[in-house]
Amino acid sequence: MPSIIINGDQRDVSAQTIRELIVALEIDSDTTAIELNREIVPRSTYNTTQINDNDHIEVVHLVGGGAAPDESDDDWGDDWKVSEYRFSSRLIVGTGKYKDFEQTARAVEASGAEVITVAVRRVNIADPGTPRLTDFLDPKRYTFLPNTAGCYSAEEAVRTLRLAREAGGWKLVKLEVLGDRETLYPNMIETLSACETLVSEGFDVMAYCTDDPIMSKRLEECGARAIMPLGAPIGSGLGLQNRVNIRLLVEQATVPVLVDAGVGTASDASIAMELGCDAVLMNTAIAEAQNPVRMALAMKHAVIAGREAYLAGRMPMRRYADPSSPLAGII
């Protein structure tokens, strides 16, 4: 009977192959990925891949981390595109921090988002019947955007997204490599390294980054499909602290620009869109609102309003008053 390390725990198992292990643990193999000694096990080899003493096995799936609009509702206006994917909604929402999956689903529905971010985490093998995100949000209805939340090196990020692709087949991914635990600020050196590797392996990378125009251009040059500068630190709710730089990125970029992180309320989302961003990504601003579902609806309308204002072109700003009523014929 092999003694193995599975998802960090020592366990004696009677299974001799990966397939037998899946059956014994009652794991849904269609929505998970399995790693044996840090090498992904293709599903086609589950029946023949042997388990030996002291093997290290990881079993992961997608969890909340980081509704297609009614076809009769044309409020979104023009579509936007990243790689070969086309979307109507310009709001991307995360699926973490909610009190439960039911609230997550209700907020996502209210937001009108078509794309939702998800994290890659270990399966709870002690209780395989535990509710899962995919029980509440259908991957056939939404575009799942696996992210690398919690990764602090290029190696960790690449490994995580390889597992995500194995678990669900996703190649459109959000890359974030963090620099420290206090600020969660992007480590751009590691981000660039991970981006190069992922692009070479066929991933469509949307990269969380600083608001540095030089680094953003480097990401484009190495093949990033979208750049996602932070407006303020992740989860801070401070709003856009760097409007000048965000606008510079929009003007120079040849790929979509999305504000990612820092949004606190609806006006922040509108400002991002008024600056010309293609979309906005948020999680905490909705999930930690007193009424997440209502805030999700507010964010939907804020993004629409900001985009329409950008397309309309704002009036020029003046130093002095300019009367709106005609002066001729005053009594």
Side-chain angles (χ1 to χ4, degrees), residues 1-265:
M1 181 177 293
S3 180
I4 63 175
I5 305 292
I6 180 167
N7 284 4
D9 295 327
Q10 184 83 38
R11 179 177 291 212
D12 294 331
V13 297
S14 59
Q16 300 297 314
T17 66
I18 292 295
R19 176 63 67 189
E20 291 175 4
L21 180 66
I22 289 171
V23 172
L25 296 177
E26 299 179 16
I27 294 170
D28 179 5
S29 61
D30 290 337
T31 58
T32 56
I34 296 179
E35 195 179 61
L36 174 62
N37 300 325
R38 299 184 73 88
E39 294 289 336
I40 292 176
V41 182
R43 288 188 176 83
S44 61
T45 66
Y46 283 179
N47 290 331
T48 57
T49 301
Q50 296 292 313
I51 296 174
N52 300 302
D53 272 337
N54 301 315
D55 276 346
H56 283 66
I57 294 175
E58 294 286 346
V59 184
V60 304
H61 62 159
L62 301 178
V63 302
D70 190 312
E71 292 182 1
S72 63
D73 181 1
D74 62 356
D75 285 346
W76 290 110
D78 55 333
D79 291 352
W80 69 288
K81 188 177 181 182
V82 54
S83 187
E84 72 266 29
Y85 309 90
R86 186 176 294 278
F87 304 108
S88 297
S89 168
R90 292 178 179 269
L91 176 60
I92 298 175
V93 296
T95 49
K97 297 188 175 182
Y98 293 92
K99 69 176 183 179
D100 53 37
F101 285 141
E102 182 179 358
Q103 186 184 68
T104 306
R106 289 175 59 219
V108 171
E109 177 79 26
S111 76
E114 297 168 285
V115 184
I116 58 176
T117 63
V118 293
V120 180
R121 294 293 184 267
R122 287 170 169 170
V123 170
N124 183 358
I125 58 174
D127 185 8
T130 300
R132 302 171 65 165
L133 181 70
T134 50
D135 296 332
F136 294 82
L137 293 168
D138 187 354
K140 295 179 181 178
R141 180 180 183 187
Y142 300 99
T143 296
F144 278 30
L145 185 65
N147 67 27
T148 56
C151 293
Y152 289 84
S153 71
E155 180 182 7
E156 289 176 347
V158 170
R159 178 190 179 201
T160 297
L161 293 177
R162 285 170 176 163
L163 283 166
R165 182 163 62 181
E166 179 65 23
W170 293 278
K171 69 169 187 172
L172 181 66
V173 296
K174 178 192 169 186
L175 170 65
E176 60 180 69
V177 184
L178 305 176
D180 65 81
R181 299 181 187 278
E182 187 70 22
T183 66
L184 302 183
Y185 209 69
N187 181 328
M188 292 307 300
I189 303 302
E190 292 293 298
T191 298
L192 284 166
S193 174
C195 185
E196 290 174 353
T197 300
L198 292 167
V199 168
S200 71
E201 295 182 7
F203 286 91
D204 292 320
V205 178
M206 302 174 68
Y208 169 63
C209 60
T210 62
D211 60 359
D212 180 348
I214 306 303
M215 281 298 186
S216 295
K217 183 55 68 175
R218 288 284 306 278
L219 278 172
E220 281 195 60
E221 291 170 351
C222 79
R225 297 292 192 171
I227 56 174
M228 308 174 75
L230 76 167
I234 291 174
S236 67
L238 290 172
L240 274 67
Q241 301 295 303
N242 47 1
R243 300 184 193 183
V244 173
N245 276 26
I246 296 294
R247 182 58 196 166
L248 287 173
L249 298 187
V250 169
E251 290 176 355
Q252 78 166 19
T254 59
V255 297
V257 176
L258 298 80
V259 162
D260 176 14
V263 170
T265 191

